[in-house]
Amino acid sequence: MQKGAILVLSGPSGAGKSTIINAASDEIGEYYFSISTTTRKPRVGEEHGVDYFFVSKENFEEDIKAGNFLEYAQVHGNYYGTSLKPVREALEEGKLVIFDIDVQGHRLVRAKMNDITTSAFITPPTLEALETRLRARCTDDESVIVKRIENAKSEIRAVGEYDFTIINDTVELAAKQFVIVAKAARLKQSAEDEEKFITQWIGK
Ligand code: ADP
Ligand code: 5GP
């Protein structure tokens, strides 16, 4: 039986998702952060098995064929995917599982695990602020930044598909809002648990 819950975070690359999770991590209780697999090259400072599992296109396509992904998508010309096994294990242990995935991934997770999923779209206040932050991060070259900004313009259109929107103006406020969303996500019951609860509540 599924005991845990899922919290999906999406938002343009550079929105501040990692920053907010880090800032809030002491206050959201025990959680499992789903480490995605990607074919994109590691940025300076990123580590295999910590930020992502960095693999070749061939390896990624083998995993697709083997049915190892809960969801996967192509973003900015690279594959990104969530491995099923660790997520299933964390859910069975009753953990809150946090995903940092794009809008396509969110739709796929909703289609498969809607009843235990809560989602939040994280975005800087404006496109201009996003551009400034992407440049200040100094991790991507110009062509990558241009691609990410173009992608952000289409991703923002999916904001209405999410349960919550967090505007990342200051990290402090956004982290506070994120803590509230994480707490709400934990309260979400699976349909299966709900049936059991009703039966017990009625007492028959
Ligand atoms: P994401 O994980 O969504 O790609 P990051 O957490 O890497 O985004 O943030 C992108 C950049 O913006 C980083 O350099 C980060 O330090 C900076 N940043 C994040 N939140 C803010 C904020 N509220 N104000 C200013 N800069 C921010
Ligand atoms: P980045 O290259 O900045 O780390 O991530 C680029 C985009 O890919 C972000 O929007 C991020 O949320 C998304 N992403 C990261 N991992 C996954 C994943 O496993 N699945 C999907 N669908 N998107 C992902």
Side-chain angles (χ1 to χ4, degrees), residues 64-137:
I64 296 175
K65 274 196 207 130
N68 290 341
F69 290 118
L70 167 64
E71 63 75 36
Y72 70 91
Q74 288 213 28
V75 189
H76 318 128
N78 288 302
Y79 279 124
Y80 293 81
T82 307
S83 295
L84 190 53
K85 195 164 163 266
V87 170
R88 197 182 273 152
E89 284 167 3
L91 287 174
E92 275 163 12
E93 287 166 15
K95 289 191 182 137
L96 176 67
V97 181
I98 301 181
F99 294 146
D100 171 350
I101 57 177
D102 84 323
V103 301
Q104 307 169 74
H106 172 241
R107 287 180 195 134
L108 294 165
V109 171
R110 281 265 171 220
K112 287 188 183 166
M113 296 167 133
N114 186 44
D115 61 340
I116 56 164
T117 299
T118 301
S119 62
F121 193 90
I122 299 183
T123 173
T126 59
L127 186 64
E128 209 182 350
L130 175 69
E131 193 167 345
T132 308
R133 287 180 199 175
L134 278 175
R135 290 191 197 287
R137 188 165 69 178

Side-chain angles (χ1 to χ4, degrees), residues 18-192:
S18 319
T19 306
I20 291 169
I21 297 171
N22 286 337
S25 68
D26 288 345
E27 285 184 63
I28 56 177
E30 206 189 350
Y31 68 93
Y32 170 74
F33 180 76
S34 166
I35 302 169
S36 297
T37 301
T38 184
T39 58
R40 97 153 151 72
K41 298 278 165 288
R43 292 186 193 123
V44 176
E46 281 185 332
E47 278 180 54
H48 181 79
V50 176
D51 301 282
Y52 281 103
F53 294 105
F54 297 98
V55 301
S56 67
K57 194 166 174 252
E58 291 70 31
N59 282 348
F60 198 102
E61 286 174 346
E62 277 166 23
D63 273 349
I64 296 175
K65 274 196 207 130
N68 290 341
F69 290 118
L70 167 64
E71 63 75 36
Y72 70 91
Q74 288 213 28
V75 189
H76 318 128
N78 288 302
Y79 279 124
Y80 293 81
T82 307
S83 295
L84 190 53
K85 195 164 163 266
V87 170
R88 197 182 273 152
E89 284 167 3
L91 287 174
E92 275 163 12
E93 287 166 15
K95 289 191 182 137
L96 176 67
V97 181
I98 301 181
F99 294 146
D100 171 350
I101 57 177
D102 84 323
V103 301
Q104 307 169 74
H106 172 241
R107 287 180 195 134
L108 294 165
V109 171
R110 281 265 171 220
K112 287 188 183 166
M113 296 167 133
N114 186 44
D115 61 340
I116 56 164
T117 299
T118 301
S119 62
F121 193 90
I122 299 183
T123 173
T126 59
L127 186 64
E128 209 182 350
L130 175 69
E131 193 167 345
T132 308
R133 287 180 199 175
L134 278 175
R135 290 191 197 287
R137 188 165 69 178
C138 298
T139 50
D140 305 298
D141 63 35
E142 185 57 27
S143 66
V144 173
I145 290 177
V146 169
K147 214 187 256 183
R148 282 168 193 263
I149 287 166
E150 277 315 303
N151 203 50
K153 286 188 204 164
S154 64
E155 279 211 296
I156 194 76
R157 295 185 195 284
V159 65
E161 297 173 27
Y162 289 74
D163 296 316
F164 301 100
T165 307
I166 296 177
I167 310 281
N168 177 16
D169 195 350
T170 69
V171 174
E172 198 192 357
L173 185 59
K176 273 191 190 150
Q177 292 179 345
F178 177 68
V179 171
I180 296 169
V181 169
K183 288 186 177 162
R186 276 186 202 280
L187 295 175
K188 193 141 185 179
Q189 292 231 348
S190 80
E192 210 174 331

